[in-house]
Amino acid sequence: MSSFRSHALAGLLFGLPFVSNIFYLFFALLGASIPDLDHQNNKRKVYSMIGIGVVLSVLLLFLNGDVLSGLILILLGVIFYFSHHRGFTHTLVGIVVLSGLFSFMFMGFVSVLMSLCVHFGMNVPFSTIIFIVMVLMGYFVIHRRYLMLYIMALAIYLVLFGFDSGMFNWYVVFGMFLVGGLSHLILDLRTPAGLSLFKPFIKRKFHNSIALFLFIVWLVCAIGYLVYFNPLFKINTCYMYLS
């Protein structure tokens, strides 16, 4: 069984070729950590997801806010509660669904906090709002041993570089959750237990061969994206050429 550190590192490495801003790698890190919320050891986090989701939904309802994010948090908690380890959360369908739900929840909480700040006349920087939401998500997803390290790294990055709302790309957020989740599956496919990767369509378990195939797919996509789309790569390439 791969450790949290292995999954975290894989998520960062798999996400790196697809980002023009290093900040988005925090989402790849979260995505790589999401599947193991189905583990028995994380039941307390699952209970807190449901509980906090209920409280937030009620508060937002009284404040005339959008309760969707709170409801999504409850739904995620229910999914992880009923999932057995290496079940739904360790399938391709599960990773797509979870990446979508976490992305919508993140967008919703950012929107709600911005609206509340306007409602109460508070001038809160966008980077602070992002920090609050990502700390909440990290609390649910990141292993408790590394949670403070995650929070410190996030805080240092936002203090040094900041992050403006105009820089935000919601599609990249979803993509990083997805890439991080896929990196988790690839590592777990290499373990003796394997994964029923294509459930509910195919129930049999897959191992190293499909892990290698998915890695090759990622590698081809990463090289293609670096060459044709990633502005950081193009800037470095132009600099090397002119030199």
Side-chain angles (χ1 to χ4, degrees), residues 15-230:
L16 186 60
F18 301 100
V19 296
S20 56
N21 189 314
I22 299 300
F23 173 74
Y24 288 109
L25 290 181
F26 284 102
F27 295 99
L29 173 62
L30 293 172
S33 311
I34 287 172
D36 277 346
L37 279 175
D38 66 357
H39 197 282
Q40 188 66 31
N41 293 340
N42 291 319
K43 287 299 182 185
R44 185 174 297 177
K45 287 188 175 184
V46 172
Y47 297 146
S48 66
M49 289 178 78
I50 297 173
I52 293 175
V54 170
V55 172
L56 286 174
S57 297
V58 173
L59 286 175
L60 290 173
L61 185 63
F62 279 104
L63 293 171
N64 294 320
D66 187 357
V67 301
L68 180 60
S69 296
L71 296 177
I72 290 177
L73 186 56
I74 297 171
L75 175 60
L76 284 167
V78 172
I79 289 174
F80 291 120
Y81 178 82
F82 286 104
S83 298
H84 64 276
H85 188 45
R86 292 202 173 194
F88 173 74
T89 67
H90 286 69
T91 65
L92 288 177
V93 172
I95 288 300
V96 173
V97 170
L98 292 173
S99 297
L101 288 175
F102 269 92
S103 298
F104 279 118
M105 182 179 69
F106 176 78
M107 290 185 284
F109 278 136
V110 169
S111 177
V112 165
L113 283 180
M114 291 178 68
S115 299
L116 289 176
C117 288
V118 172
H119 178 77
F120 291 106
M122 297 184 296
N123 185 21
V124 179
F126 183 73
S127 57
T128 301
I129 292 174
I130 291 293
F131 176 75
I132 294 171
V133 176
M134 293 192 70
V135 167
L136 178 63
M137 298 183 75
Y139 167 74
F140 294 131
V141 174
I142 302 296
H143 192 286
R144 61 181 179 274
R145 185 182 300 173
Y146 302 99
L147 180 59
M148 285 307 301
L149 180 61
Y150 162 81
I151 294 174
M152 289 173 59
L154 179 62
I156 291 171
Y157 182 92
L158 291 174
V159 168
L160 292 178
F161 303 103
F163 203 83
D164 187 76
S165 58
M167 302 165 61
F168 221 89
N169 188 321
W170 300 111
Y171 296 105
V172 178
V173 172
F174 170 75
M176 287 299 98
F177 275 123
L178 186 61
V179 169
L182 288 174
S183 73
H184 188 113
L185 299 187
I186 290 174
L187 287 189
D188 280 359
L189 280 166
R190 299 187 67 253
T191 60
L195 296 176
S196 299
L197 192 66
F198 299 104
K199 267 189 170 184
F201 308 106
I202 301 175
K203 292 186 178 181
R204 78 179 185 88
K205 291 192 173 183
F206 294 86
H207 298 81
N208 283 321
S209 57
I210 195 69
L212 178 60
F213 171 75
L214 291 176
F215 177 79
I216 293 173
V217 170
W218 167 83
L219 186 61
V220 171
C221 292
I223 293 173
Y225 187 86
L226 281 171
V227 172
Y228 292 104
F229 298 106
N230 196 314

